[in-house]
Amino acid sequence: MDVELFPRGRVEVVPGAVHLPDWLGPGQQRELLRACREWARPPAGLRTVRTPGGGTMTARQVCLGWHWYPYAYARTVVDGDGAPVKPFPAWLGDLGRRAVTDTLGAEAATAAAYDIALINFYDADARMGLHRDADERADAPVVSLSLGDTCVFRFGNPDTRTRPWTDVELRSGDLFVFGGPSRLAHHGVPRVHAGTAPPELGLTGRLNITLRVSGLQEPGAGGR
Ligand SMILES: O=C(O)CCC(=O)C(=O)O
């Protein structure tokens, strides 16, 4: 039997940033994984993101609602197959608002009309450098759901890419929400612990589903 020495509970890492372990049960994780597998299919499926400097991100990505590319949003996969981005389903928006209610409270969830999902797939060698989610035009909290392998999620501060930061272990089913004074905090994934996914989930690697409110109206809008 797998029993924690210290049970994991809700932690407010810094004001506005909350980690809620085991928020998704095994059945919900399986449902979300099934949806991710559908979304990953072409057209507008899982792709390698190229950065303006000529590099590539090691986490591969698929988007819903608005297509993110460095560093703006579009309605089509402008840096890939050119297909229209897949729609953002209403049920995912409901899930996002529930996540905010359960972490930051009902008031924080009222204006949270989620319309973007970024789904990141990490194999054992994938990472994500410290960055800010700053291409949106809305200040609603960012909702982050984890499936599969455990990772180290580094949560820093809005001002610099350096310390202070907190390293949080995100496991399959965990929820992390950041809003308010933490909405523009730097964050990233320095490490994935390969082979730690719950075997019954049937996923090799890690999936992260990040929900955001765009605040965008026009195709091609946004960007830094
Ligand atoms: O994979 C994660 O937990 C973080 C993803 C992320 O930072 C992003 O999509 O901007």
Side-chain angles (χ1 to χ4, degrees), residues 37-194:
R37 286 193 164 125
E38 281 302 314
W39 295 326
R41 291 179 200 278
L46 195 68
R47 81 194 199 291
T48 299
V49 181
R50 296 184 191 287
T51 54
T56 53
M57 287 172 52
T58 51
R60 286 181 291 152
Q61 192 175 84
V62 58
C63 306
L64 308 178
W66 285 91
H67 175 78
W68 179 82
Y69 63 102
Y71 295 96
Y73 284 102
R75 288 293 199 190
T76 56
V77 185
V78 288
D79 59 344
D81 64 10
V85 66
K86 291 189 166 92
F88 182 94
W91 63 264
L92 200 52
D94 294 341
L95 189 70
R97 276 185 297 280
R98 274 207 305 281
V100 175
T101 301
D102 288 358
T103 48
L104 301 178
E107 199 175 322
T110 49
Y114 289 99
D115 61 347
I116 299 171
L118 266 53
I119 296 117
N120 297 300
F121 175 72
Y122 297 78
D123 64 19
D125 300 320
R127 311 270 179 271
M128 195 175 286
L130 278 184
H131 65 280
R132 301 189 311 154
D133 296 347
D135 296 324
E136 301 76 34
R137 294 287 175 265
D139 59 6
V142 173
V143 170
S144 162
L145 297 162
S146 291
L147 296 177
D149 281 344
T150 298
C151 79
V152 177
F153 180 65
R154 180 159 292 170
F155 197 78
N157 64 85
D159 303 320
T160 72
R161 296 180 78 232
T162 57
R163 291 174 189 274
W165 63 51
T166 306
D167 283 348
V168 179
E169 191 181 79
L170 292 184
R171 300 187 196 167
S172 196
D174 284 8
L175 166 65
F176 196 97
V177 174
F178 50 103
S182 289
R183 171 62 182 79
L184 289 176
H186 290 84
H187 58 280
V189 176
R191 178 132 196 237
V192 173
H193 296 294

